[in-house]
Amino acid sequence: MIQYIVERGDDTVKGTIRKRALRYVRNILFCMCVTVLLLGAAAGAVFAVKGYRMYQAAIKEKSVAMIADTIRSRESFIKYEDLPAVYIDAVISAEDKRFENHCGIDIWAIARAVWTDLRTLSFAEGGSTITQQIAKNELFTQEKRIERKFAEIFAALALEKEYTKRELFEIYVNSIYFGSGYYGIYDASQGYFQKDPKELTDYEAIMLAGIPNAPSVYSLDKNMELAERRMSVVLNRMIKCGKITEKEASDILKSR
């Protein structure tokens, strides 16, 4: 009996020690997590300040209000109402599915991109909206820097205050690069298909919608096979966004 009590006492002591050890480890992990979060917040604040300064310097050179004026002054400028509806749906589905509802930045897309970048230890994804892409193309360089991403955000918020969604879409498709030396949807439509944008078939319109993701890769003059693969990706995103059905997507692919 005495031996049993002693053994029970040993088990109790061991259990107490184990609980204390687990509590200690949990406290250490908690402190580490808090420290990481605080350091991340501090680093974010630093980069946000740098980004705001970068944004301020950029708009001194070219104001947000000047962006549309510069692009609209081009002879090849195409208005929103002269674009095929399927092209508009394809671009939004492929590049920024919440474009019509967000304020210039897409928190969910940014969170997904940050998670992907942390897992891959790279800047593979940026979570940029159409508005942010306008800011990057018109105000900043293509260099991947954290402070530039913050500068993009400040510029995107300013762009959303200055222009309607239709105006922003016009600015975007009339200025982006389509490969083979074509800038803007009019030049790309004429260069690749010898047509005005409103004359494009569904196949051609969706094909063009996929090129700006990587124009040097998907240029129709360089690699039609890769361009068609990208088109399939765009079609799948359109299906997920409810813009077309699977049957319609299949018919479009067959209509080449």
Side-chain angles (χ1 to χ4, degrees), residues 20-199:
R20 288 178 178 175
L22 289 172
R23 190 182 303 119
Y24 177 75
V25 171
R26 282 199 299 266
N27 289 338
I28 291 295
L29 290 174
F30 176 76
C31 290
M32 289 175 64
C33 289
V34 170
T35 301
V36 169
L37 288 173
L38 289 174
L39 288 174
V46 170
F47 285 116
V49 170
K50 288 184 176 180
Y52 184 73
R53 289 173 179 168
M54 184 182 291
Y55 159 69
Q56 288 290 322
I59 60 173
K60 283 182 180 178
E61 297 292 325
K62 184 179 184 180
S63 72
V64 169
M66 288 174 59
I67 292 175
D69 291 340
T70 301
I71 294 168
R72 285 171 179 157
S73 65
R74 299 173 184 171
E75 290 184 11
S76 60
F77 180 82
I78 298 295
K79 293 182 179 180
Y80 184 93
E81 54 267 28
D82 292 327
L83 293 167
V86 70
Y87 174 74
I88 295 170
D89 288 341
V91 171
I92 292 174
S93 298
E95 297 295 330
D96 185 4
K97 65 181 181 181
R98 284 181 281 271
F99 171 68
E100 293 171 331
N101 300 312
H102 62 57
C103 63
I105 58 174
D106 187 338
I107 300 299
W108 293 109
I110 291 173
R112 184 187 66 246
V114 168
W115 174 243
T116 300
D117 291 344
L118 287 174
R119 283 193 297 110
T120 59
L121 298 178
S122 69
F123 288 102
E125 289 198 32
S128 293
T129 62
I130 284 175
T131 316
Q132 284 177 264
Q133 290 182 56
I134 294 171
K136 177 178 65 178
N137 294 337
E138 298 300 322
L139 296 173
F140 308 110
T141 67
Q142 302 299 309
E143 185 181 2
K144 292 187 176 181
R145 295 165 57 190
I146 296 177
E147 56 264 43
R148 198 218 70 207
K149 292 300 295 183
F150 278 101
E152 251 180 52
I153 290 172
F154 289 118
L157 294 174
L159 283 164
E160 291 276 344
K161 287 183 179 179
E162 185 74 23
Y163 305 110
T164 66
K165 290 292 185 179
R166 286 194 172 197
E167 289 172 333
L168 287 169
F169 193 87
E170 285 179 344
I171 292 168
Y172 178 70
V173 300
N174 279 283
S175 60
I176 48 175
Y177 186 51
F178 286 83
S180 299
Y182 304 131
Y183 284 89
I185 182 62
Y186 178 83
D187 287 350
S189 181
Q190 285 288 343
Y192 288 127
F193 300 113
Q194 296 75 54
K195 297 178 179 180
D196 285 348
K198 62 184 177 183
E199 298 171 338

Side-chain angles (χ1 to χ4, degrees), residues 1-8:
M1 177 65 74
I2 294 173
Q3 183 179 357
Y4 174 74
I5 293 172
V6 171
E7 288 175 353
R8 285 291 303 273

Side-chain angles (χ1 to χ4, degrees), residues 182-246:
Y182 304 131
Y183 284 89
I185 182 62
Y186 178 83
D187 287 350
S189 181
Q190 285 288 343
Y192 288 127
F193 300 113
Q194 296 75 54
K195 297 178 179 180
D196 285 348
K198 62 184 177 183
E199 298 171 338
L200 292 169
T201 66
D202 289 353
Y203 181 95
E204 294 164 344
I206 296 170
M207 176 71 78
L208 289 182
I211 295 175
N213 178 261
S216 61
V217 176
Y218 300 129
S219 167
L220 305 188
D221 293 334
K222 292 185 177 181
N223 199 322
M224 179 60 78
E225 183 180 348
L226 285 179
E228 287 177 340
R229 288 184 194 173
R230 172 61 183 168
M231 181 184 176
S232 294
V233 171
V234 176
L235 284 167
N236 285 330
R237 291 185 181 177
M238 292 177 74
I239 293 170
K240 289 180 180 179
C241 290
K243 300 300 182 182
I244 57 173
T245 65
E246 290 186 13

